[in-house]
Structures are given as C-alpha cells and as structure tokens.
Amino acid sequence: MLSYIFSANFLDALLRMGTPLVFVGMAAVMGGKANILCVAYEGMMLFAALGGAIGSAYTQSLLAGAALGMAFSMAVAMIFAYFVLYLDTKPLLAGLALNTLGTGGTVYVVYLLTGMKLDTSSLPSLKFPAVDIPLIKDIPILGPILSGHNLMTYLAFLAVALVWFLLKKTRLGLRIQAVGQDAAAAASVGINVRKTKFIALTISSIFAAMGGMYMSMGYLPYFTANMTAGRGFIGIAAQNLAVGHPLWTMFFALLFGASMAVGNMAQSYRLPSQFAALMPYLITLIGLVIMGARSKKQDSLTAEAAMKLHTPAGAK
Amino acid sequence: MGNAVKKSKDMTKTIERRFSFLRTLFAVLIALAIAFVLIATVSEKPLQDFITLLVGPLKNTSRMATIVSKAIPLLFTGTAVCLVYSCGQINIAAEGAFFGGAVAATCVAILPGIPPVIHIPLCAIAGGLAGAAVMGIPGILRVRYNVVTIVAALMINYVALYLGLYIILNPLRDPSAGFEASFLFSESALLPGLFGNQRIHLGLLVGLAAVVLGYWLLNHTAFGLQMRTVGENEKFATYSGMPVGKTIVFTSLISGFVAGVGGTMETLGNYQRFVYSGFTNHGWDGVMLAVLCHNDPKYIPVAVLFLAYIKTSADALNFSSKIPPEIISVIQAVIIIFVAAERFLAGWEHRSIVKHSKDAMSKGGAE
C-alpha cells in the first residue's frame, strides 16, 4: 500500500481525482470571498458536464463543447443570482433547488436527446487531450511526473494562480473582497454590491464548469446521471478548511483527491473503501472544530484583555 | 382614528398572509406549466401524459396506496426540518439522520428472538438515537465551537452515509443475498400493514403522531416558545436569559430523533433487508416541505400529500410513457425556488397594502 502511494500511478490517480476538486474549490473561493452562501456548485458542475459532452458531440469541436458547458453552468449561476440578489430567496434554498434541478434537469436533457435515461455514451462526444510537455517529458523520473496529464489538470493549477492573482492584485478582486467583508461599507464608498456579487458568481460558475466538464470529457468519456456525486460539496469543504485562501484550498482539494484515490485502490483490493470516502468530510469537520476552538479561545482572551483595560484600577 | 390604524395593520397582516398563499399557488402553477413544456418535448402524446401527471395517481386504489406509502417517510423528515428551522438552524443533516436511522434500525432488526411488541420500539429507539447523533453534532459544534451549521451538516451527512454503508456492507452484509444488502430482518421487526395493505404500514400512525407532537412542542410548550424566540432573534433570546445553546442542541437532537425514526419506519415498513446504496433524498424533501409550510408542522400533512402525489404522478408517467421520473425534481426545484423567493410578487403585494392603507386612512379621516 505504501509503495503504491509513492508510485507514479498514485500521482496520476490523485490528479485525476483532484482536478475537478481544485476547480470547484476555486469556485467556492470566489463565492466565499463575495460572502455568498452558494451550494449550487453541484448543479453547475452537472449542467456543465452535460453541456460539454453534448456540445462537443454535435459540433465535433472541443472549443464549442467547452463553450456550451460554460454557458450551461453560467445559466445556473444567473438563475441563482437573480433569485438571491433580486428576489431575496435564501441562498441555501436557491442552491439546494438548483442542485435538485441539476440532477433532474440533466437526466431530462439526456432523455430528450438520446432516448436513454442514464448516460450519453451513445453520443460521439470529445475528450480533453493529455498534454506532453516538450523537453520536460524527456527528463528521467521528473518527466513522467510533470508531463502527460490531462489538459484540464494543468488548467486547474493555472486557475489557482489566476484566482490568487485576481484576489491579490486586481481592483475587481479587492472589490469582491470588500463586498464580502462588509457590503454596507462597500456600498457607502460607491461599489455596486449586487453587480460585484454577480461578477463573482459568474467567475465562480466558470470554474465550476471546468470541474464539471473534466468529469464528462476527461475523467469519463461521456456524461452519466449524477456523475459529480457530491464533489461540489467537497469543494466547499476545502474552501472552508482553507478559510478561503486559494493555495490552501488547492492543498485540501488535492488531499481530498488523494483520499479518494486511496479509496479506489482499497476497493480494487476488496478492502472497505468507505473510510477513505468519508475522509474529506471527517477531516473538514475536525478542522472546523479545531479552528473554532482556537478562535473562541482568542475571543475570550481578547475579551479578558478588554475587560482589564476597561476596569478602573480602584474598582476591585 | 386609532381604531382605523389598528384595522389597517390587521388588514396588512391579512394581505401578507394572502400573498404568502398566492406565492405558493403561483409557484405550483409555474412548475406545472414547466412540467407541461418538458413533457410535450419528450412525449408522443403530450396531452394524455399531462393528464396522467395531474390525475394519474387517482386512477386506481393501488396508486392511491402508493401516495400514502410515499407520504409516510416525508411526514417525519418534514416535521424534523420544520423544528430545526424554527429554531433558526440551517441544519440540513436530516438526510444523514434518516439514513443513519435506517442503518441503526437494521442493526437491531436483524437480531432474532425478540417479540414484535418490544422489537419494533427497540428498532425505532435505535434509529432515533442514531438520527439524533447525526443531527445533534452540527448543533453541538455550532454552540460549542462556532462551526457554521450548514457546513457541518453537509459534512456530517456524508460521514453518516459512508459510515452507514461500511456497517451494512461489511459486518452486516449477507453474502447469500446476491447483491449488496444486509442480512434479512427478523420477522418480528417488520412493521404490520394497516387496512390490509402491506404498503400502508404502522409508520403512517407514528408519522402522524410525530407531526402532532412536533406541532404541540413548537406551539404549545415553553420549550417551543424558546425555540421560536431563538429562531427569530438569537440576541434577544440571550438577553432575555434564555438558554440559547441548550435550546439549539436539544432542538437538533429532537429533530434528528424524528428523522431517524422516519428512516427506521421506511426501512422496516417496505423492505426485508437494508437495500439503500446512497442517499434517499428524503431529507432534502424535508427541506422543501419545511419551506412550503413556513416551518409550521400544522401544514405538513397537506404539503406531504402534495409532494407524494406528484411523486406518484412521476412514477405513473414513467410507467405509461417511459418519461424519466427525474422530471419531478425539476418541478420540485421550481416550486422551492419560487416559494422561497421573498420578493416574488412583492410589487403587487406592496401596491395592495398601500391601497388598503390609503383606503383605511381616508375612511379614518372622514370619521
């Protein structure tokens, strides 16, 4: 088992599992920074996975497929934004509703197009290619580790850099964070809160779409019903554990990917795979408890210090 | 004059209530319209299929029994979510509690040699306690460690799922079943049918009792008042000396217990062994029901009947025209999102309140 974990096969499996999680983790980071409680990533991913598969199948163009996948995911985000930002729907309920729409709506579309209920394997959809990096692929040992992965895997790491850059170095990123931290204060200095949240959600939906499309155009060669299987929630878990920091979110997403890879391996050895499957969720819970306990301790320390400051010396 | 103001306030309340009903009605109508469009696109005989969607469940007594059978688990999860939402906790762990309850009940139900009078309550208690644990944990983490309830609840759902699957598929797995399932339940743990129909089982009575008890707890007890106060305004509850943390934890435990008993009843009432391989969606349905009922268990039976009705319609459609039953989740999604949209129809509502206030003012002025 240990020898497996240190093998190149394991790295491949980790990246296969981790790629969609890193993407949806970045989606959750964007949503989290704008302080939008969005759980609709699952629905966005499902629709994007479907859009990518059918788009590429009917046009035989990878780019057109990707565009349709993104459009589907953005449409979900638009509905979410309209109901939450304009009709005051509670974000949690809108998110749950859209996830439900994702599971049912995608099956409907599959049935409409193929007459089958479960998957689009009858459609000639395309896959994102694996990329061999010239020169690097010829380096011994390092070559096979760095080169030869799916295009989307490289884009996932690019997405992390992009999110980091957006949040740290651009006006838009700072605005999103200002809105997220204190919407009223941001509004008072002339930032359009709704518009900013809307933009953040749109960016979010693009990342979720990439994660979803990897599922149907890389991880598997076609769309199957409910194929994201809770990955949207794992993205939210990673973001929560990382307190919204993009690099740490990536770290946790990959860690969760690793635990899924271990689970798959356990299954092939007929070992119970359920423990590996529940790891991401358990780690997140424990992590949140530790963070909560720490911040509570800090709170009480600050409160104590404040009490000392404000108690007049003679009052004892 | 003062009288007129009071009257106008009452009127405003009536209008608000009327619009909350209208919103629900419009949501259902919009959902049905969308359903019609969806059906029309995939069906060869759209009109007939749409009629099946509307009245298919009433076609024969077997289908009507299906409605009741589908309603039973929803009575539990709907009540459970109503309670925990009334307390202001966005605890969506009812899904995990339902599943966990079913698993714990299975552990007890496979034991041989216990008379039914004791066996069924024992299963229900085991299921309830497991459910209470699942839903209680997010409550405790929220109070003790300030963990955001919804995130903790999302996580605990999956922990319950995989832990439950581990228990079912390893120590409790029946290798002779031929598929992934637990050992057979003991005869004594199976729920007796009512009215001579095996699908309408004892769980119906327990479920209705859960609704009544939930309603009573929420509206007619001191603890219920605490729950609602904490839900309305946690700070106010704190300053008026209520034990906020305790209220949240106990409410979560009670809700989880109800959901867990629901899982127990559904499993022991319908199956010979544990057969789920994933979430059953009863918990999410509970969220939808609570939204439809504005967290008041009083309306749960009606809402449950409605949801069970459209689910049965979907099955009927699938049976008659092979239309995928998943279409129903589109209808559900549309209903939730519109009912929960607080500003949906707000313009109309606002105008009619203004109009009534103006009328009342001018009458008051004339007196």
Side-chain angles (χ1 to χ4, degrees), chain B residues 77 92-100 134 157 259 278-285:
Chain B
T77 51
I92 45 176
E95 187 68 46
F98 189 90
F99 190 87
V134 173
N157 269 338
F279 284 136
T280 58
N281 267 333
H282 289 107
W284 298 129
D285 287 342

Side-chain angles (χ1 to χ4, degrees), chain A residues 52-263:
Chain A
I54 58 178
S56 68
Y58 285 103
T59 60
Q60 287 300 311
S61 147
L62 207 53
L63 224 53
L68 190 68
M70 282 185 195
F72 274 24
S73 172
M74 276 186 203
V76 176
M78 299 292 109
I79 299 174
F80 180 88
Y82 178 69
F83 274 91
V84 170
L85 300 178
Y86 291 89
L87 290 182
D88 282 357
T89 307
K90 293 213 170 62
L92 173 75
L93 295 174
L96 289 181
L98 288 171
N99 288 341
T100 312
L101 188 74
T103 46
T106 50
V107 171
Y108 160 77
V109 176
V110 169
Y111 182 70
L112 179 69
L113 294 177
T114 66
M116 296 204 298
K117 290 176 190 178
L118 286 177
D119 58 48
T120 61
S121 55
S122 62
L123 296 177
S125 58
L126 305 179
K127 270 184 86 167
F128 289 108
V131 178
D132 283 322
I133 308 170
L135 296 180
I136 290 182
K137 76 172 162 77
D138 299 324
I139 305 173
I141 305 173
L142 218 56
I145 291 178
L146 292 178
S147 175
H149 300 294
N150 192 286
L151 171 68
M152 290 302 250
T153 304
Y154 296 107
L155 289 182
F157 291 106
L158 193 66
V160 177
L162 216 64
V163 167
W164 181 85
F165 180 79
L166 181 75
L167 291 173
K168 280 270 147 102
K169 304 282 177 194
T170 66
R171 276 170 72 98
L172 176 66
L174 292 177
R175 278 190 180 176
I176 290 174
Q177 295 183 73
V179 166
Q181 270 168 18
D182 191 337
S188 72
V189 293
I191 299 178
N192 186 337
V193 174
R194 266 186 193 161
K195 193 174 133 198
T196 312
K197 286 194 171 188
F198 196 83
I199 294 171
L201 266 173
T202 311
I203 298 172
S204 234
S205 74
I206 293 174
F207 291 130
M210 304 281 272
M213 286 190 291
Y214 175 76
M215 293 304 296
S216 66
M217 303 167 76
Y219 185 80
L220 284 182
Y222 49 81
F223 174 85
T224 71
N226 213 6
M227 74 187 311
T228 50
R231 284 181 171 79
F233 294 126
I234 300 190
I236 297 174
Q239 180 261 348
N240 258 281
L241 264 187
V243 216
H245 194 287
L247 287 175
W248 280 105
T249 305
M250 176 192 78
F251 170 77
F252 284 114
L254 290 175
L255 184 72
F256 295 162
S259 96
M260 287 166 99
V262 169

Side-chain angles (χ1 to χ4, degrees), chain B residues 142 183 344:
Chain B
R142 152 81 171 69
F183 289 108
F344 173 51

